[in-house]
Structure formats: C-alpha cells, structure tokens
Amino acid sequence: MELVTLADIRAAAALIAPAVVRTPLLRFDEGLWLKPEGLQPVGAFKVRGAYHALARLPEDVRARGVVAYSSGNHAQAVAYAAKLFGVPATVVVPDTTPRVKVEATRSHGAEVVEVPPAERESRAHELAASLGATLVPPFDHPDVIAGQGTIGLELVADLPDVATVLVPVSGGGLISGVAAAVKALSPATRVVGVEPELAGDTAASFRARTLTGWPAADRARTVADGLRAEPSPLTFAHVLAHVDDVVTVPEDAIADAVRRLAFRSRLVVEPSGAVPLAAYLASPTPRTAAIVSGGNVDPATFLTLLA
Amino acid sequence: MELVTLADIRAAAALIAPAVVRTPLLRFDEGLWLKPEGLQPVGAFKVRGAYHALARLPEDVRARGVVAYSSGNHAQAVAYAAKLFGVPATVVVPDTTPRVKVEATRSHGAEVVEVPPAERESRAHELAASLGATLVPPFDHPDVIAGQGTIGLELVADLPDVATVLVPVSGGGLISGVAAAVKALSPATRVVGVEPELAGDTAASFRARTLTGWPAADRARTVADGLRAEPSPLTFAHVLAHVDDVVTVPEDAIADAVRRLAFRSRLVVEPSGAVPLAAYLASPTPRTAAIVSGGNVDPATFLTLLA
C-alpha cells in the first residue's frame, strides 16, 4: 500500500496556506506544548485535509460539487472549503451529531442531510452518484492525510527537539499525516496515538498488528464524539509504519483535561481534542507536544464538563 | 510630553520575541478579525510590556528584583518575566483580585502581597524602596507602552488593509502602544478605544479632551475587572494624539460577547477581553480587528457568564 510522503505533505502545505491558520505552539507546563487546532476557521484541524482534497480536484470536477459524511468537524471543513472555492457541498451527518456542528455546517452554505449513523456512508455514496459530485472521505484518502500532515511540519519547525507527539486517533487520518511528517523530519521523535478507553479499537489493533473491529455501539460510549470512527486499511498502514504506541485514557481524565485547557490555556476544547492532554497528565514526559484537535463542543456539554 | 514612537515599538518587538507568542489573527465573521492575546504565557497581552520593561533594565538593577501592582494580569506578567530573567518579584494586588490571578502569580514564583485596593500603589512604592527593587508600573511607563504596541505591528503586518482596530481601555497602556504603532504604519486606520459604560471614564475624558477622574468605586461596578483603572497623563496624551474615538458598551453586551467568543471562536476570554467584540456587534464595520486582551477569568464567573 502506498503511504503519504513528506513531499506530499510539503506540497499540501503550500496549497492550503491561504485557507488555514498557522497555529502557534502554546506552552502548557515545563514539559508540554499544545498545538491548538480549535483556532482553525471551522474549529478543528479537519480544514487542512478537506481544503487540500478540494484544491487537488481538477477544476471541472470540483465545479460539480462535493459530498461528505462525518461526525461533524469534517462536514464543516468540507462545507467551508467548498464555500471558499465557490462550489456546492452536501454533507451527510449522523442524526446524533451535536447541534452546534450541524448549525455551523449549514452556516457555511452546505446542504445538510441527517441520517441514522449506520447509513451515513452509504447515503453519501448514493448522493455523490446522483449529483455527479465528488465524495470527500473524512480520513480514508491520501490528499486528506497529506493535508492533516501539515500539522507535523509546523510542529517540527517550531519545536525541532520535540521528543514525543501525542495525537488523538479516530479514523486515523490525523495521526497518519502527522506521523509521516514527523518521522521523516525527526526519526527519533516518538509519535503516540491516544484514544478513549471506551473507543480503544486502534490501541487493540496496534497491539495485534491487525485491524480488530469494535462494534460501533461500543465506540459510541465515549463522550469524545469525534473519536468514534475506526481506521481504514490505508490509515492503519500509516499507523503500523510510523506510530510508536497507541494508549488509552478514561472518561474522567478527558473531562479533567477539558477543564484544564479552559482555565489554564484559555481554550474551549471538545472532549476529543483534550484526549492527548489526558494522556500526558497520566504520564508526563519532557519535550512533549499534544495536538488539541478541535473545539466544537455543544455549550451544554461544555458547561457540564466544566462544572 | 514625549510619546512612544514606532522605532521604540520595533525595538521592543525584537527584545520580547523569545518570551511571547506571535498570536495569529482569527476570523470571527465577514468583517471582524480577532487578535487572541489570551494565548500568551500569562493569559494576557501584559507579558509584552512587562517583559520589555525588565529587558530594558541594566543587568545589575534588574538583579535586585522588581515590584509590581496591578489588578492581576500585570502582576502575573511581571512574575513571569522575572522568572525568565531569574530575578525576584514581589507583586501587590488588591484583595479583591480573582483567586485564579493570585494563584497564577504565585505559581510563577513571585511573592504576592494582598492589600485594600486603595493602598496598592503606595504599598508597592514602599516595598520597592525597602527592597532596593525596581517598580514596574502596569501602564504608566514608555517601556510598558512600547511592549504593548508590538500587537499593533503584528496586526498591520497580518492585515495591512485593516480599517478599524478596537482596543479595550483601562489604564491606557495597551491602546497607547497599539495606536502609536498602527497610526505610524497605517494613518488611515481608525483606532477606537472601548470601555464598559460602568467604567467609561476615558470616553468621558476623550470627549472633554482632558482627564476627568471617576471615583474608583464607580469604576469597580463593571464585571470587566481588568478595565477598572484610569489613564495617566502619559497614556492619555497618547490617546489624544492617536485615537479616533472611545466608545462604551453595556454589561449585558460584555457577557454576550464572552459567550460568542467561547462557542464561535473557541476562546476562554475574561470580560475585559470581550469588550471590543461587544462594540463591534453593536455597530459592525468592515475590515475590523478586535484585540481580545486576555483570558484570566475565575471559573465560577465564566460559568455564570456562559449559562
């Protein structure tokens, strides 16, 4: 299987520069730095991969529109990118998606179709076929992976002696790109995936060195609603090639990390984005960077986590 | 009276670069960009001026230590800067200061002295004299003003055609530096100060073209605890020289702006930092930038504002 390369990621960085925020590294404590991707236009790193995927489409293909399915942040990212390119977007989201994500997606001008979680992928394929549009998958695509990998480039540029990078894992697009970039630039840096214990399918697969599917109902138990997907063969191949470990954190540690990010680092972070900090706090190591992947949290959920 | 110049501010930018975050501009909506200074190490822009003031001291003078008085964020900034330089810091804060600011100041290794609000300045002078240390004022000093002005340099570099810059006003150090930088680089850009109605002393002084003192008890009514100070002759001279207008916003608009910054821009912002957004929302104008000055808010206050 062909993996995304450093050259792919560098090319992506040039293409996406006009559409993304060059996020700074923020110091959390003596050992930890944060990469606050919630500051992106759609409130999550997903804009990097989505915009890159659209930028790579031939103009006449892109003009026929794009379709996306996602638990929310990818949908917003595709809607945002489509708006920038002036092309139509249709996004299929599970009907369990937080309202804030649905409204934000609509606010970017996309048509939103809410379906039962199990049907979202098939409905997206049907819609793309009927519209003549291009499906932009949330993680299972080299262009999406290369876009997310630009975070790794920025991270190593800003902190060249980084010893450990902690990355949330769901479908694996983020860690695939970040690990490809970081390992190419700094082979001694450890890249560690982090999952909720309640959606620890990739940690189990990593130990088994083969994809061990978990039922969607099991993965849906975690409060980290952005981490309920599972890797594809493509992303898992990147994990096996580049990632040093995949660890898990309990739900109460995720909530605690959300609170600390709010009041110590002044960031509104969704539970999925707080998972790497939870791993760091359980086992602090020097010169560590945590990718705080996004900040799209329902106000009610956020207030409950802070209280 | 000698005002701070663009050259002073450029020199400050070079000196403070190792200690501050180069904050990105974040798009809020079609017309507005945010400069999120809550991402600084101490959670507020104050680190710029405080670090610059310490950097400018002769080494032997700096070694004898520094003393600061402030409503909180300046105290943290001086403590942080002193820690970076390895010199002792004593900070005098009013005993009404939010706990989060007091604890954060102590966490940087400073000695914190809590006194009744009316005594903080006199006690700080006494302490400096008895310790042989240097008093670093929160705003009434050219080095502090030049440090805060570096925000203006970054803002014009990132958004060269900015039409309006909205800046919170308390003692006036921030708007003095920002206006000096912005007006030198982009004379057509409007620089507008924003205050809470309940602490609108500078707006009144601006209309009168002379400092009209408000009783401290009046200024203390606003929830924006960082905006309860009043300008000095030095900062007010900068305001008269460079600022186009000073406007005020009501308390409920400040709370609404805190909520929007949390859930639309994923930033934890203290009421003082939300005041410029409140002014923008009351009267949106194109190509506007708002300086979101800080994020040190007590958790209980923050939860009350979000609920």
Side-chain angles (χ1 to χ4, degrees), chain A residues 4-101:
Chain A
V4 168
T5 67
L6 180 61
D8 298 331
I9 298 167
R10 286 191 163 136
L15 280 175
I16 71 173
V20 303
V21 172
R22 174 64 165 81
T23 49
L25 278 185
L26 308 178
R27 193 148 204 175
F28 181 82
D29 65 12
E30 289 304 303
L32 185 69
W33 298 80
L34 308 174
K35 182 78 168 161
E37 287 291 304
L39 303 182
Q40 295 296 349
V42 299
F45 72 95
K46 293 277 187 181
V47 66
R48 296 175 183 260
Y51 186 87
H52 185 232
L54 265 75
R56 293 263 294 164
L57 291 176
E59 199 172 335
D60 59 326
V61 173
R62 190 168 57 221
R64 292 200 294 274
V66 291
V67 174
Y69 59 91
S70 104
S71 63
N73 282 335
H74 175 65
Q76 283 188 59
V78 168
Y80 174 79
K83 184 175 66 173
L84 293 186
F85 282 111
V87 303
T90 306
V91 299
V92 183
V93 302
D95 51 20
T96 55
T97 301
R99 286 302 90 190
V100 65
K101 294 188 181 183

Side-chain angles (χ1 to χ4, degrees), chain B residues 67-306:
Chain B
V67 174
Y69 60 92
S70 104
S71 64
N73 282 335
H74 175 65
Q76 284 187 59
V78 168
Y80 174 78
K83 184 175 68 173
L84 293 187
F85 281 112
V87 303
T90 306
V91 299
V92 182
V93 301
D95 52 18
T96 54
T97 302
R99 287 303 88 190
V100 65
K101 294 188 181 184
V102 172
E103 293 310 318
T105 307
R106 286 214 175 94
S107 78
H108 293 303
E111 186 178 343
V112 178
V113 180
E114 297 185 63
V115 303
E119 293 175 25
R120 62 183 178 166
E121 193 165 342
S122 59
R123 287 289 297 277
H125 281 281
E126 287 164 22
L127 273 164
S130 67
L131 294 166
T134 302
L135 190 119
V136 182
F139 51 84
D140 189 28
H141 193 289
D143 292 343
V144 174
I145 291 170
Q148 323 303 28
T150 57
I151 293 173
L153 297 186
E154 294 174 9
L155 212 160
V156 175
D158 288 353
L159 197 65
D161 65 345
V162 59
T164 303
V165 181
L166 300 171
V167 191
V169 177
S170 182
L174 176 62
I175 197 168
S176 292
V178 168
V182 168
K183 286 293 187 179
L185 294 165
S186 175
T189 300
R190 282 171 58 80
V191 177
V192 177
V194 190
E195 288 182 305
E197 281 176 9
L198 296 182
D201 57 292
T202 308
S205 298
F206 184 80
R207 287 190 300 273
R209 308 299 285 179
T210 187
L211 275 176
T212 59
W214 280 27
D218 283 2
R219 287 181 271 117
R221 293 170 301 171
T222 176
V223 68
D225 60 284
L227 302 184
R228 294 171 181 166
E230 57 186 353
S232 67
L234 178 65
T235 56
F236 192 62
H238 286 79
V239 169
L240 288 183
H242 296 309
V243 171
D244 296 281
D245 200 1
V246 182
V247 301
T248 62
V249 294
E251 297 290 299
D252 60 347
I254 299 172
D256 181 59
V258 168
R259 279 192 292 275
R260 288 171 191 254
L261 287 163
F263 295 119
R264 184 170 183 139
S265 300
R266 301 102 192 167
L267 298 171
V268 174
V269 173
E270 59 188 281
S272 307
V275 159
L277 173 60
Y280 172 82
L281 292 171
S283 176
T285 51
R287 303 197 314 286
T288 297
I291 298 179
V292 180
S293 52
N296 291 315
V297 56
D298 254 338
T301 304
F302 188 61
L303 287 170
T304 304
L305 290 167
L306 292 193

